[in-house]
Amino acid sequence: MLRLTPPPGDVNDVHDFVVAELNRHPDLNTIDRMAFVTALIELATNVIQHADTGVGVTCTLSLRISHDRIEAQLSDTAEDRGIKLVAREMPDDELAESGRGIALIHALVDNFHYERVGDRNLWSITKNITRPGSPDIPVAF
C-alpha cells in the first residue's frame, strides 16, 4: 500500500510503486502493463491536480494482482464535490489541453468506478489480464 500527501508526494511516487508491484509478476504481458499503468497514472494525476482545494489531501493506493486481473483502489480525503463518473468521449478539438483523462481511463481498463464512502473519494480501476494465445494479443509470424 502507498500513502502519500502531495506535496511532496506526487505522481512519480505512484509510478514507482505500481511498477515495482507489477515487476513482481513477470508473467504479465506488456500491453496489459502499459494500459494499466497509463490509466492509473492518469487517475492519480487528476486526483493530485484537482482534489486539493487548499486544505491538503492524503491519498492511499492499494494494488491487487490475481491470475485474471489487476486492480487498483485509490482513495483521497478531498471534499465531496458531487462527482458523477460517466463515460466520456475525447474532445473534438485535437488541440484541447483538457477533457481527455476520463475517456482515456475508460478506454484503457475494463472497469472504472467512483464512489463517495464516508469522508473519502474511492476510485477503482480493473484491467483484465490477457493470457498468451488470447485473440487480444497480437501474434507475430
Side-chain angles (χ1 to χ4, degrees), residues 83-91 99-104 106-107:
I83 296 169
K84 303 279 189 255
L85 188 62
V86 295
R88 297 195 178 151
E89 294 183 16
M90 292 291 186
R100 297 184 191 329
I102 300 298
L104 179 63
H106 274 289

Side-chain angles (χ1 to χ4, degrees), residues 47 51 57-60 74-78 116 119-123:
V47 168
V57 171
T58 298
C59 300
T60 304
L74 177 66
S75 68
D76 68 70
T77 59
R116 181 76 181 180
D119 62 349
R120 299 184 75 84
N121 296 305
L122 181 60
W123 309 87

Side-chain angles (χ1 to χ4, degrees), residues 59-118:
C59 300
T60 304
L61 173 63
S62 61
L63 195 64
R64 192 174 96 194
I65 303 167
S66 67
H67 71 282
D68 62 345
R69 68 179 150 252
I70 312 166
E71 299 172 286
Q73 285 196 337
L74 177 66
S75 68
D76 68 70
T77 59
E79 297 175 8
D80 184 358
R81 291 183 163 178
I83 296 169
K84 303 279 189 255
L85 188 62
V86 295
R88 297 195 178 151
E89 294 183 16
M90 292 291 186
D92 289 336
D93 181 359
E94 292 177 9
L95 301 177
E97 293 184 18
S98 65
R100 297 184 191 329
I102 300 298
L104 179 63
I105 295 167
H106 274 289
L108 292 170
V109 298
D110 297 292
N111 187 25
F112 180 28
H113 180 75
Y114 165 81
E115 65 182 313
R116 181 76 181 180
V117 178

Side-chain angles (χ1 to χ4, degrees), residues 33-55:
R33 284 173 182 266
M34 287 176 27
F36 186 80
V37 170
T38 302
L40 184 55
I41 294 302
E42 181 62 34
L43 174 60
T45 299
N46 283 341
V47 168
I48 290 169
Q49 286 181 348
H50 302 294
D52 190 359
T53 58
V55 296

